[in-house]
Structures are given as structure tokens and as C-alpha cells.
Amino acid sequence: MTTARRSAVDRLLSQVLDEFSDASPPRVLDCGGGSGSRAVPLALRGADVTVIDISVDALATLTRRSVEAGVAERVHAVAADLEALGNLLGPASFDFVLLHGVLDVVDPAVALSVARDALRPGRPVSIVIANPVAAVIARVTAGDLDAALAEAGDDMENRSLGIGRLRALCDECGLRIETVHGLDVFAEFVPGSLGPEAVEALDRLDELTAARAPYRDIAARIHVLARREHGT
Ligand SMILES: C[S@@+](CC[C@H](N)C(=O)[O-])C[C@H]1O[C@@H](n2cnc3c(N)ncnc32)[C@H](O)[C@@H]1O
């Protein structure tokens, strides 16, 4: 059920790109951008995208896809460890940073600092993390109660990132959160064999509920849009 999730993120990214419609091509940094599932569509919309990833295989796929899409001159692959970047990137030189699916696999405080330093003041960062609450629900619905108990233990927020800790980390590093959306609120609960009409209805349902508690709080993934504060 990835159709619903992709369109929800696409909508959110489109809204951000509209901010730059009058400016010269926005410079985007996609941290842990892998094989370019976001970078290539952004380049097709006119952005100049730098992808940092530790996987040379993923970057090779990115390069091939950007050539095939005719946007190779606007997609730059950088093989590097986000946790050990040093001053590889110029300070405050990007209009938009993506941290999608990467804060769950690197030190989130370090990666958020990289994003903050790379952004021009006032510019946005788009963050997607897995929701540890949804992991507990998924274990219960699969009938694995022992795993659910282990997931839901007292130290859940320390083991997995979650929205509470992400809010605190953003606050500490000078990224002001503007919006929080749930991605795939219901998609995990329905059979994978649904037809196109049902997928469309599910997409609409996810869109309607994405910003509203308690639906947002149980979504499979969480999307956060934050901004580098001036003076940080
Ligand atoms: C779950 S994938 C997310 C890919 C993509 N951003 C998306 O949303 O579909 C995590 C990505 O982070 C990259 N990654 C993991 N550790 C990294 C590190 N220390 N520095 C840079 N990239 C890293 C992986 O190679 C992988 O491409």
C-alpha cells in the first residue's frame, strides 16, 4: 500500500516547492536519499538536488535514474557518512533539506545538526520517521503479543525516535516545527489486494486524517516540516 503514502508525501513536498516558484532553481539536499526516489522527481520539477548517501550502490542507481530522466545535470551524488561529514558542505547553502527514513538509522541529533547547518536561515527541512506506536499496533494485529510487549516497554522513546524525542531534538538544535502529519494512517490495516478505486479512497482517508489526533498518532510514519530559525 505505498501508493497512498507516496502521494501524501508528494503533496507535502509540492507545497514546499511552491515557496520557491519565483526564485532561481532551489538547492535541495537529500540526506540518505539513496537511489533517488525523491531526488529525481524534485529535479524534474526544476530543483538542483544533492544526494548524500553512504551506499555507493544506491548512488549508482540514482545516477542511472537521473540520466534516464534527463536531469543528470541537476542531480549530484555524494558518497559520504552523514555522521562524519566535517565541512564537506558549504554552510547555509541549501534552500530545502530532506531527512526521509534516515533519522531511524543514524544518530538523529548529528543528522539534524547537519540539516540545520546546511540550510539558509528560515528555510525548511522535511523529515520522515517511523512511528514506534504503529510498530506496537502492527505486532498486536499480527498476533505477536510478546513482541508487542517488548516494543511497548518503558524505554520505547529511548530505543526508537518517536515524535516526542524528535520535537525535543529539533528544539535543541534550532529547528522550529511547523506541521506534523501521519503518513499511512490506515494503509497498514487493509489487504494489499485492493483495486484502484479502493486505493484512491484510502488515499483520501489518509489525507483527511493525516493532521488530526488520534489518527495521526497511530500512523505508520510521521512527517514533520520544520524550519531553521533565524539566529541559529
Ligand atoms: C530507509 S532508507 C531511506 C531512503 C530514502 N530517503 C527514502 O525515503 O526512500 C535509508 C538510507 O540512508 C542511507 N544511510 C544509512 N546510514 C547512513 C549514513 N551514516 N550516512 C549517509 N547515509 C546513510 C542508506 O544507505 C539508505 O539509502
Side-chain angles (χ1 to χ4, degrees):
M1 262 313 137
T2 52
T3 311
R5 177 173 65 90
R6 287 213 181 284
S7 54
V9 177
D10 287 347
R11 268 193 301 276
L12 292 161
L13 293 187
S14 266
Q15 284 165 14
V16 173
L17 279 193
D18 287 347
E19 268 185 45
F20 306 113
S21 53
D22 296 334
S24 54
R27 290 199 69 210
V28 178
L29 176 66
D30 189 357
C31 299
S35 54
S37 57
R38 292 285 157 220
V40 171
L42 286 168
L44 282 167
R45 286 206 51 181
D48 187 87
V49 190
T50 299
V51 177
I52 293 182
D53 204 286
I54 204 163
S55 163
V56 286
D57 287 345
L59 292 177
T61 305
L62 163 75
T63 302
R64 180 177 48 75
R65 287 169 85 173
S66 62
V67 170
E68 283 168 4
V71 290
E73 77 285 356
R74 289 202 297 279
V75 176
H76 318 286
V78 179
D81 182 348
L82 258 186
E83 294 181 302
L85 269 188
N87 51 9
L88 190 68
L89 304 169
S93 50
F94 288 89
D95 299 299
F96 187 23
V97 174
L98 270 58
L99 289 167
H100 286 192
V102 72
L103 294 188
D104 301 307
V105 293
V106 300
D107 181 333
V110 172
L112 285 167
S113 301
V114 167
R116 188 261 331 272
D117 292 346
L119 279 170
R120 299 192 166 105
R123 296 300 202 187
V125 54
S126 168
I127 301 168
V128 176
I129 59 167
N131 183 3
V133 173
V136 177
I137 296 171
R139 300 277 190 262
V140 173
T141 52
D144 191 347
L145 300 185
D146 287 340
L149 278 167
E151 287 276 354
D154 288 343
D155 61 340
M156 186 167 99
E157 274 277 307
N158 294 328
R159 278 183 291 111
S160 330
L161 186 52
I163 187 62
R165 211 169 126 223
L166 180 59
R167 279 187 191 280
L169 288 172
C170 283
D171 205 37
E172 275 166 31
C173 89
L175 292 169
R176 183 173 39 79
I177 292 181
E178 285 189 344
T179 60
V180 178
H181 288 93
L183 302 176
D184 286 348
V185 177
F186 296 109
E188 308 280 313
F189 302 122
V190 296
S193 54
L194 287 182
E197 279 176 24
V199 169
E200 207 177 298
L202 190 61
D203 191 15
R204 179 86 188 109
L205 195 56
D206 271 354
E207 189 186 354
L208 276 176
T209 54
R212 286 158 50 192
Y215 307 107
R216 178 184 68 187
D217 309 330
I218 61 160
R221 278 160 289 278
I222 299 167
H223 179 266
V224 167
L225 189 75
R227 233 166 249 279
R228 179 177 181 172
E229 290 186 293
H230 290 273
T232 58

